[in-house]
Amino acid sequence: MSHQTLSTILFLLFVAGTLGITFWASRNTKDATDFYAGGRSFSGVQNGLAIGGDYMSAASFLGIAGIIALSGYDGFLYSIGFLVAWLVALLLVAELMRNSGKFTMADVLAFRMSPRPVRTAAGVSTITVSIFYLLAQMVGAGALVGLLLGVTSPAGKALTIVGVGVLMIVYVVVGGMKGTTWVQIVKAVLLMGGATLVTLLVLGHYGFNLSGLLGEAAAQSGKGDAFLNAGLKYGTEAQGLAGKIDLISLGLALVLGTAGLPHILIRFYTVPTAREARKSVLWGIGIIGVFYLLTLVLGFGAAALVGGQAITAQDKAGNTAAPMLAEAVGKAIFGDVGGTILLAVIAAVAFATILAVVAGLTLASSSSFAHDLYAHVFKRGNVTDKEEVMVARISAFVIGAVAIGLGILAQGQNVAFLVALAFAVAASGNLPAILYSLFWKRFNTAGAVSAIYGGLVSALVLVVFSPVVSGSATALFPDANFAWFPLSNPGIVSIPLGFLAGFVGARLSKEYSAGKYAEIEVRSLTGIGAEQATSHQPAGEVQRQPGTDPELEPSTD
């Protein structure tokens, strides 16, 4: 039996199992709380596993291993940055968001501000960040199928991207948050098991001697000792100062971006108490921390056992390094049959990874559209749970179609790099608004809208005019050149701009409510009154008639 046949069978078994979970969950999805937050019925351990499943994406398993295999030490920053980012999420947002909101990030902002402009801005930002992240998963799916089935034509990979998109829409539309969460839990267990197995086999092949593994990786890379030192990808002589700044920009985006990712933020609403929210983040950090240590061995192992030339021959961005390593180490230890089986297992796990993450992203963006834009902007709160959930399901189709189209265009990009762009956009637009709203009494509607749009627009503009889109061999449009911004990641410029825009916008407006800030401060820190946020009325609107703005009056510091 070929690895293509075996991996296809394993993947179809996973799809059948998760579809069964999804349809089971759909029978228990009766209202908006079930669809958006899984009925707030998950324990901290379950949600921690789901957070790990949501966060350990194709970028983690495929992209990071590929960057380390091709760039050595410089790829290491992705592993560390993704992990350290969770400390920011734990210390600054996890418990506070759980206590303050209902279903989406905008619930926290709308509590003390004029809801319509704030929800509009938050909804636009959520959908934009989610589509960037979805883009990476779609590219990973295309690369993986190219390896497994020998598909090299863009049309063949495009068909794969369409198939993954259809499946993710089914997960969201049918199962909602309950189905998506259970899919992510199953996927987290499979991914940790597969990554641990390959890591142990690689270390065993080198007698558990890390020095031997690193030395072989450096030798096979063709770059010698430079492979194990900083500067191979960022800060080279050709890049000069811009390369060093790009490295700092990437680090900022990775560390600060997690706390602003919509599909991560909504996970905090699926647990019943703030204590469980903290527990879920701690479990998530533990799982994710172990996993990112494993990616180091996977990356350097791929460089040592597969080699950079073979990896780039299959996929120029290195996205297939991990499954190619599984095949190589399997053959080295167990022979050709062992290599075939291990490749099939790891490829099926990678597919599971992609499906689970795209389902979470689609749910976050469709929830934001239905709950923030449709229910509270277009309908001014005059909408039933049933109507809201129906709109969320319809928007999942539209967002899925957009992600499929962009994923087909972005083939050839490294998926970890694409996710770093999503992190930069989230850190630039969402994070300033969230932190200001939770910790600054003087913050107001104008500040929130300015922070979100200022960070979001600056990040997007800089990406469009960067080497990511044009002016380089790996750009989306390699034959065009309209790049005037020298950095690949805009974080070092767009993140400060987001915070500055929020500060200036808030100061230029005298409208804010000291009373509302005091209320959300108590709620976010203690959980007192948090049950109010789970009522049918949106957080912060419990004392208003539908369709009216909150009574926000000028106040003094």
Side-chain angles (χ1 to χ4, degrees), residues 264-348:
I264 298 298
L265 294 176
I266 65 171
R267 292 239 57 90
F268 301 139
Y269 299 131
T270 65
V271 291
T273 65
R275 181 182 179 185
E276 292 299 313
R278 291 194 302 273
K279 185 187 292 185
S280 65
V281 176
L282 289 172
W283 272 89
I285 288 176
I287 295 167
I288 292 163
V290 172
F291 177 76
Y292 284 127
L293 290 176
L294 300 181
T295 61
L296 298 177
V297 178
L298 296 177
F300 287 114
L305 290 172
V306 181
Q309 289 186 347
I311 293 171
T312 53
Q314 174 63 41
D315 185 271
K316 64 181 180 180
N319 294 320
T320 56
M324 291 177 77
L325 169 64
E327 183 178 28
V329 73
K331 285 183 177 179
I333 297 176
F334 304 113
D336 289 344
V337 175
T340 298
I341 293 174
L342 198 56
L343 172 61
V345 170
I346 297 305

Side-chain angles (χ1 to χ4, degrees), residues 350-433:
F351 266 124
T353 296
I354 291 168
L355 286 178
V357 173
V358 296
L361 288 162
T362 306
L363 180 62
S365 49
S366 61
S367 297
S368 183
F369 179 85
H371 182 65
D372 297 325
L373 297 179
Y374 178 78
H376 294 97
V377 176
F378 303 150
K379 290 292 188 177
R380 296 178 177 266
N382 297 310
V383 62
T384 65
D385 275 1
K386 186 175 181 180
E387 290 174 332
E388 195 174 317
V389 171
M390 179 60 67
V391 171
R393 286 174 166 148
I394 293 171
S395 63
F397 280 95
V398 178
I399 291 165
V402 172
I404 289 169
L406 292 176
I408 292 172
L409 288 175
Q411 293 183 62
Q413 294 286 323
N414 181 276
V415 291
F417 171 73
L418 289 172
V419 164
L421 292 182
F423 273 58
V425 175
S428 303
N430 295 347
L431 187 62

Side-chain angles (χ1 to χ4, degrees), residues 101-174:
K102 182 183 180 185
F103 297 138
T104 66
M105 173 187 76
D107 287 333
V108 178
L109 304 179
F111 183 87
R112 51 184 289 225
M113 299 168 194
S114 183
R116 296 187 72 209
V118 167
R119 287 188 183 277
T120 301
V124 169
S125 180
T126 294
I127 293 169
T128 303
V129 173
S130 298
I131 286 176
F132 262 99
Y133 217 122
L134 280 168
L135 190 60
Q137 314 310 315
M138 297 301 190
V139 172
L144 196 59
V145 167
L147 171 66
L148 287 176
L149 305 182
V151 176
T152 56
S153 67
K157 293 182 179 181
L159 286 175
T160 303
I161 291 172
V162 172
V164 170
V166 170
L167 277 173
M168 79 179 180
I169 291 169
V170 171
Y171 286 142
V172 173
V173 170
V174 176

Side-chain angles (χ1 to χ4, degrees), residues 529-555:
E531 67 278 359
Q532 189 182 51
T534 64
S535 66
H536 178 70
Q537 290 174 296
E541 299 180 24
V542 293
Q543 297 176 341
R544 304 196 303 276
Q545 294 299 317
T548 63
D549 282 346
E551 296 179 0
L552 298 173
E553 70 284 348
S555 182

Side-chain angles (χ1 to χ4, degrees), residues 62-242:
L62 302 177
I64 293 178
I67 285 183
I68 294 174
L70 299 180
S71 304
Y73 180 91
D74 280 7
F76 173 74
L77 179 66
Y78 283 88
S79 293
I80 299 304
F82 282 138
L83 175 58
V84 172
W86 272 104
L87 298 178
V88 178
L90 173 63
L91 296 174
L92 294 180
V93 302
E95 180 181 352
L96 305 182
M97 291 287 288
R98 162 61 187 75
N99 288 343
S100 306
K102 182 183 180 185
F103 297 138
T104 66
M105 173 187 76
D107 287 333
V108 178
L109 304 179
F111 183 87
R112 51 184 289 225
M113 299 168 194
S114 183
R116 296 187 72 209
V118 167
R119 287 188 183 277
T120 301
V124 169
S125 180
T126 294
I127 293 169
T128 303
V129 173
S130 298
I131 286 176
F132 262 99
Y133 217 122
L134 280 168
L135 190 60
Q137 314 310 315
M138 297 301 190
V139 172
L144 196 59
V145 167
L147 171 66
L148 287 176
L149 305 182
V151 176
T152 56
S153 67
K157 293 182 179 181
L159 286 175
T160 303
I161 291 172
V162 172
V164 170
V166 170
L167 277 173
M168 79 179 180
I169 291 169
V170 171
Y171 286 142
V172 173
V173 170
V174 176
M177 178 58 86
K178 283 188 176 180
T180 300
T181 298
W182 280 112
V183 169
Q184 288 162 343
I185 290 172
V186 171
K187 167 254 172 153
V189 173
L190 290 175
L191 182 58
M192 286 297 295
T196 301
L197 174 62
V198 176
T199 297
L200 291 175
L201 290 176
V202 170
L203 291 175
H205 182 68
Y206 287 96
F208 291 91
N209 184 343
L210 281 175
S211 296
L213 169 61
L214 295 176
E216 183 69 11
Q220 293 299 321
S221 70
K223 291 155 185 148
D225 291 339
F227 189 73
L228 303 178
N229 295 314
L232 195 60
K233 182 175 178 63
Y234 299 100
T236 62
E237 290 185 11
Q239 293 172 327
L241 181 61

